[in-house]
Amino acid sequence: MLTKRQNLLETIKGGNPDRFVNQYEFMEIILEVPSKLMAEPGTEFKNDWGITFRWPEGQLGQFPVHDEEHKVLKDITEWRNYVKAPVINNSDEAWAAAVAHASSVDRKDQFVTAFVAPGVFEMCHHLMSMEDALMALYEEPEAMHELIDYLTEYELNYAKVLIDRLHPDALFHHDDWGSQKSSFISPAMFEEFYLPAYKKIYGFYKQNGVELIVHHSDSYAANLVPFMIEMGIDIWQGVMTTNNTPELIKNYGKQITFMGDIDSGVVDFPGWTPEIVAREVERACKNCGKLYFIPNLTQGLNFSSFPGVYQCASEAIDKISKEMF
């Protein structure tokens, strides 16, 4: 029986896996970094960039607050006056828990995985709101290029610390690039503004010992796959059924692997049942096949919003592996 790591590599390289890669099993994600990433349900917090996040009671997650009081970037043409990159905490004490976690992982079995969120596109709209960010790409492209360069430079500085501290084998990087049915911006605009940033970021990780780039975007982004390949993404995590995953595998499978095709909104809700989960797992696995595909809830970490769904999906994947392999 192959290790989790070996089975993953066989899957993404078109080899001979002996089972489906089961969701996030191949990644041991290191989350104990110095910066706080999430609010608690029913609370809000301000991060190191000054962005306020609020997680309303009864909702599935947090989102930045963009009223006049809380919006960080109020005028893109004056972005230097508003946006100040935080100092990266690089003390031994701050990184002790993360280093201990990374050191405990059997790297023959799993990839020690650094986690980065939010990404460059999300940072743009977190600072100023989605509406302002999208309009600025049209109305003030020069200023947006400058802001993106600034955010990219910060990411590269943070990457240096992550790599020095954790020596990760993999990177799990979040940046949502679309809704369920379209990308937020056109491929041409994505190519102009965001492709160069990600070629720098992902290129830096690859040049410094990171073997695997896993990018999360639980959305439609089929029209951006050629750019994903160009920037060095090995696995697109979060691919929704609206992308026609089997067609993507047929067209691009030898260049990139697709992880998802089990839409969280379809299986992860208050009235979920094991039968619904099993149906969706079977559909995804039989439609997408054994290579260049990892069955997975489209959610961006190894859990579900409602208790039991993630574990149920993992069990269903194990079961269908026994049938199909």
Side-chain angles (χ1 to χ4, degrees):
M1 182 175 175
L2 298 171
T3 68
K4 295 169 187 174
R5 183 175 183 133
Q6 289 169 337
N7 196 56
L8 180 281
L9 292 174
E10 290 293 316
T11 298
I12 71 173
K13 293 180 178 179
N16 293 293
D18 59 19
R19 62 196 184 277
F20 282 110
V21 176
N22 197 324
Q23 305 206 84
Y24 286 92
E25 67 175 4
F26 64 99
M27 289 190 284
E28 183 65 22
I29 303 171
I30 312 299
L31 296 173
E32 299 88 343
V33 295
S35 299
K36 183 176 179 181
L37 298 172
M38 298 283 288
E40 299 298 322
T43 69
E44 67 177 49
F45 87 103
K46 183 182 288 189
N47 75 4
D48 295 337
W49 291 84
I51 302 166
T52 300
F53 291 87
R54 185 175 295 156
W55 188 330
E57 199 71 56
Q59 296 300 311
L60 297 183
Q62 67 177 22
F63 207 73
V65 182
H66 289 130
D67 56 29
E68 196 59 27
E69 176 188 352
H70 293 92
K71 188 186 294 185
V72 174
L73 179 49
K74 302 179 191 299
D75 181 351
I76 183 59
T77 66
E78 301 291 335
W79 70 266
R80 287 183 181 83
N81 296 330
Y82 293 102
V83 181
K84 306 295 181 186
V87 175
I88 299 168
N89 188 338
N90 195 19
S91 70
D92 291 345
E93 181 181 5
W95 285 89
V99 170
H101 186 176
S103 299
S104 72
V105 179
D106 178 0
R107 293 178 186 248
K108 293 180 180 178
D109 189 47
Q110 291 178 295
F111 291 83
V112 171
T113 305
F115 180 80
V116 173
V120 180
F121 177 76
E122 288 180 338
M123 275 297 299
C124 290
H125 71 78
H126 285 185
L127 287 164
M128 64 178 107
S129 82
M130 180 67 83
E131 296 86 348
D132 288 359
L134 295 180
M135 288 189 294
L137 291 168
Y138 286 99
E139 296 176 346
E140 299 291 344
E142 186 175 334
M144 282 297 285
H145 275 298
E146 293 170 352
L147 176 61
I148 289 166
D149 286 346
Y150 184 77
L151 297 172
T152 301
E153 189 62 29
Y154 175 83
E155 267 228 36
L156 290 170
N157 289 332
Y158 184 64
K160 292 172 187 174
V161 176
L162 267 179
I163 290 165
D164 181 59
R165 291 286 179 177
L166 305 181
H167 308 289
D169 307 302
L171 170 69
F172 186 39
H173 195 293
H174 277 221
D175 207 13
D176 288 333
W177 291 335
S179 67
Q180 290 189 42
K181 60 183 182 180
S182 69
S183 56
F184 289 129
I185 58 178
S186 70
M189 187 167 276
F190 185 91
E191 181 179 22
E192 176 186 347
F193 286 93
Y194 293 100
L195 178 61
Y198 273 104
K199 286 176 78 171
K200 290 179 185 176
I201 292 166
Y202 290 159
F204 181 82
Y205 279 101
K206 286 285 182 80
Q207 291 158 17
N208 286 277
V210 174
E211 184 178 348
L212 201 64
I213 303 291
V214 184
H215 183 97
H216 165 85
S217 181
D218 52 345
S219 66
Y220 178 88
N223 56 345
L224 304 180
V225 169
F227 301 131
M228 295 186 196
I229 294 165
E230 185 176 346
M231 67 179 66
I233 292 172
D234 298 291
I235 299 171
W236 168 18
Q237 190 279 325
V239 57
M240 299 186 71
T241 56
T242 50
N243 290 281
N244 190 353
T245 311
E247 187 70 14
L248 290 178
I249 294 167
K250 177 183 175 184
N251 292 335
Y252 301 107
K254 293 182 179 179
Q255 298 168 281
I256 188 171
T257 288
F258 301 92
M259 179 174 173
D261 207 61
I262 305 168
D263 294 347
S264 288
V266 174
V267 299
D268 191 9
F269 64 100
W272 76 275
T273 66
E275 290 75 22
I276 293 172
V277 174
R279 180 195 71 205
E280 289 302 300
V281 166
E282 181 176 5
R283 175 201 52 75
C285 291
K286 290 190 173 177
N287 286 352
C288 295
K290 301 175 181 179
L291 299 177
Y292 316 117
F293 171 66
I294 300 169
N296 177 223
L297 304 187
T298 51
Q299 179 112 332
L301 274 170
N302 54 347
F303 54 75
S304 50
S305 295
F306 296 91
V309 177
Y310 185 90
Q311 293 78 6
C312 185
S314 292
E315 291 168 6
I317 292 165
D318 279 341
K319 182 179 178 183
I320 200 158
S321 277
K322 293 181 175 68
E323 295 175 15
M324 291 182 63
F325 283 82

